[in-house]
Amino acid sequence: MSGFAMMFFQDPSLLQFQQRMEDEGHMNNLKTLFHVRSIPKDTWMREVIDEVHPEEIMPLFDDFFRPLQRGKHLEQYQVLDGRYIVAIDGSQYFTSENISCPGCLIKEGKKGSTRYSHQIVQAALMNPGMRQVVPLGPEEVRNTDGEKKQDCEINAGKRLLARIRKSHPKLSFIIVADGLYSKQPTIEEAVALHMDYVLVAKPDDHEVLTEWVNSLRALKEVTRLTVKEKDRTHIYEWVNDVPLNGNKKTATVNFFEYWIEDREKITYHNSWVTNLIVDGGNIGELVRIGRCRWKIENEVFNTLKNQGYHIEHNYGHGSMHLSFNFFLLNLLAFFMHQIFELTHAPYQQLRKKFGSKRNLWDHMRVFLSAFIFPDWEAYFQKLLTPLRSP
Ligand SMILES: [Zn+2]
């Protein structure tokens, strides 16, 4: 909880400050707000967190998810008959030439240098019209003992899909991802787990598929729909039942392509494969779903790296699981903040009052180090109360 609190307030000096409150006033906010019985020393906290197996932290993602689901906060995320868009993407949150642990991925550089890194494949529930995203537990791309070959993003992605299905056996998902995933192994895994998919498929990576689509286009078997707006034209094309590749046991997929033409210039173009039957009734929605993918880069990774969360900051690497566990705690803090935004009226009022998130969190940290609060209610109430002159 001390590690989580540190990430929650994005404040590496939180423990020291609260210890000082404890020393001076025999009470502190870690005790009242996070139920921390005794504040650990920084080094000791790191030693403890290093030894915790990440699988012990992972169920918390489900614990955070279920009340959102029960409280019907996720219904606004549904698309196409109650399905949920889950975007997945890989990212690197740590890299160094000096610091490493046995879980690090290793890459030999040109001049005999070695680069260590940690990578994950992240999933998040999202909707094109919603600013908030709901992160699911990530999968580590990890060097596992006994395997000579290094793990890779595609394998981690497959494990991630299995994990999602295990956590949420009854939900309908549409997996949305970039071109790395529009290959046979991921598609087979998604189908086996009863998941729908909308995956970017670029012509360069899909020669056979592209040849098929082009021949069908010549035969006028590809449907084309043009929708004109003021200066813009949306062009949709689709064809169902085409082979993904030249393998004997190729998956059969449905293909769609989309262009935006702005005053005779193409300003956007992309193409996808899906298992959902494409028709004139759902093509617009499918494009919106496919285009939602950028949100995992922007609303998740970019936020975690550059918008107030210091996911790439080295809080300590450890010799077992510390690096990944700190990543998980940071992600859980982000998740809790998303829950605040979606559900917590006082927090929503505070967002309005303080304008920018940065300003709000600066105030939240200051108040936390200046006053002792008996509970969260009192803390939010104090933040909402106009300041008086002393
Ligand atoms: Zn490492």
Side-chain angles (χ1 to χ4, degrees):
M1 287 311 284
S2 297
F4 177 66
M6 193 172 87
M7 297 303 178
F8 189 91
F9 285 100
Q10 289 294 315
D11 185 358
S13 60
L14 182 74
L15 302 192
Q16 285 164 33
F17 260 100
Q18 296 302 318
Q19 184 60 53
R20 199 180 306 161
M21 282 187 168
E22 179 63 35
D23 295 343
E24 289 169 5
H26 305 291
M27 189 43 79
N28 70 79
N29 290 311
L30 276 172
K31 191 179 270 173
T32 56
L33 302 183
F34 290 90
H35 307 289
V36 172
R37 266 168 294 174
S38 75
I39 301 172
K41 289 255 177 300
D42 269 337
T43 47
W44 186 54
M45 179 182 74
R46 280 169 176 72
E47 279 169 30
V48 170
I49 296 178
D50 192 27
E51 287 178 9
V52 176
H53 197 282
E55 287 303 325
E56 289 187 53
I57 298 177
M58 220 52 98
L60 290 170
F61 286 90
D62 296 344
D63 291 350
F64 282 24
F65 187 93
R66 304 234 186 276
L68 274 180
Q69 191 183 11
R70 274 198 304 271
K72 312 236 178 273
H73 295 286
L74 298 181
E75 284 181 0
Q76 54 194 328
Y77 283 88
Q78 291 177 349
V79 295
L80 298 175
D81 306 321
R83 293 177 174 90
Y84 293 97
I85 302 172
V86 169
I88 68 173
D89 200 8
S91 185
Q92 174 173 289
Y93 66 87
F94 169 84
T95 176
S96 171
E97 285 190 2
N98 311 312
I99 303 166
S100 71
C101 72
C104 272
L105 295 169
I106 301 166
K107 204 174 170 185
E108 303 295 342
K110 275 178 196 154
K111 291 169 192 161
S113 65
T114 306
R115 183 151 283 284
Y116 302 99
S117 72
H118 280 245
Q119 292 168 26
I120 42 101
V121 184
Q122 181 64 48
L125 203 129
M126 52 187 61
N127 178 287
M130 296 284 299
R131 221 184 52 241
Q132 291 80 19
V133 298
V134 178
L136 306 175
E139 189 66 39
E140 212 180 0
V141 185
R142 192 180 166 87
N143 262 350
T144 39
D145 296 338
E147 262 188 67
K148 276 182 196 151
K149 224 172 68 181
Q150 295 210 46
D151 197 10
C152 70
E153 188 180 330
I154 291 188
N155 283 342
K158 281 171 67 178
R159 295 196 302 272
L160 179 64
L161 294 188
R163 179 196 293 283
I164 294 170
R165 181 44 88 213
K166 203 173 162 211
S167 287
H168 309 286
K170 286 180 186 157
L171 294 186
S172 304
F173 293 115
I174 303 179
I175 303 300
V176 172
D178 67 19
L180 182 70
Y181 295 94
S182 59
K183 307 284 159 59
Q184 191 102 2
T186 310
I187 286 178
E188 278 177 355
E189 184 73 9
V191 170
L193 295 165
H194 304 287
M195 290 170 162
D196 298 317
Y197 58 84
V198 172
L199 307 168
V200 170
K202 302 266 189 206
D204 298 355
D205 302 333
H206 293 84
E207 261 180 58
V208 172
L209 174 76
T210 308
E211 270 174 37
W212 268 85
V213 172
N214 285 340
S215 348
L216 289 168
R217 202 173 262 132
L219 294 166
K220 306 228 181 305
E221 296 278 333
V222 174
T223 314
R224 186 181 174 94
L225 175 71
T226 311
V227 181
K228 279 199 195 309
E229 265 175 18
K230 284 176 199 161
D231 292 328
R232 276 174 146 195
T233 309
H234 303 267
I235 303 157
Y236 305 91
E237 286 195 355
W238 68 91
V239 59
N240 293 311
D241 270 331
V242 283
L244 178 71
N245 52 47
N247 297 350
K248 255 189 195 161
K249 287 185 178 171
T250 177
T252 303
V253 295
N254 308 319
F255 173 87
F256 61 100
E257 195 161 357
Y258 171 66
W259 297 260
I260 299 176
E261 206 181 71
D262 207 333
R263 286 167 216 152
E264 293 179 8
K265 252 191 171 154
I266 301 293
T267 54
Y268 182 85
H269 172 225
N270 216 339
S271 45
W272 296 267
V273 291
T274 177
N275 65 315
L276 298 162
I277 305 282
V278 189
D279 60 37
N282 65 13
I283 180 70
E285 184 73 348
L286 285 172
V287 166
R288 267 172 25 104
I289 291 167
R291 291 187 71 183
C292 204
R293 198 204 69 78
W294 69 271
K295 271 183 173 254
I296 191 156
E297 267 175 33
N298 199 57
E299 307 286 330
V300 182
F301 296 138
N302 185 41
T303 304
L304 290 176
K305 286 177 183 177
N306 308 313
Q307 307 290 323
Y309 301 85
H310 304 93
I311 210 91
E312 289 171 308
H313 176 82
N314 185 23
Y315 291 98
H317 200 77
S319 58
M320 291 173 79
H321 308 294
L322 188 65
S323 175
F324 186 46
N325 284 345
F326 269 144
F327 173 82
L328 291 177
L329 292 174
N330 217 334
L331 191 62
L332 283 166
F334 168 72
F335 192 172
M336 190 57 92
H337 300 158
Q338 298 288 295
I339 294 172
F340 273 3
E341 287 196 21
L342 283 168
T343 68
H344 195 242
Y347 182 83
Q348 289 159 353
Q349 283 169 282
L350 283 173
R351 274 302 308 275
K352 279 196 196 119
K353 179 177 167 177
F354 286 97
S356 76
K357 237 187 220 178
R358 189 175 297 261
N359 191 23
L360 168 59
W361 281 92
D362 282 345
H363 275 82
M364 287 177 75
R365 279 185 286 267
V366 168
F367 275 58
L368 199 78
S369 57
F371 306 104
I372 295 167
F373 299 98
D375 52 36
W376 287 97
E377 287 298 331
Y379 176 56
F380 279 103
Q381 209 46 54
K382 179 81 181 172
L383 282 156
L384 280 167
T385 309
L387 289 176
R388 287 180 306 242
S389 51

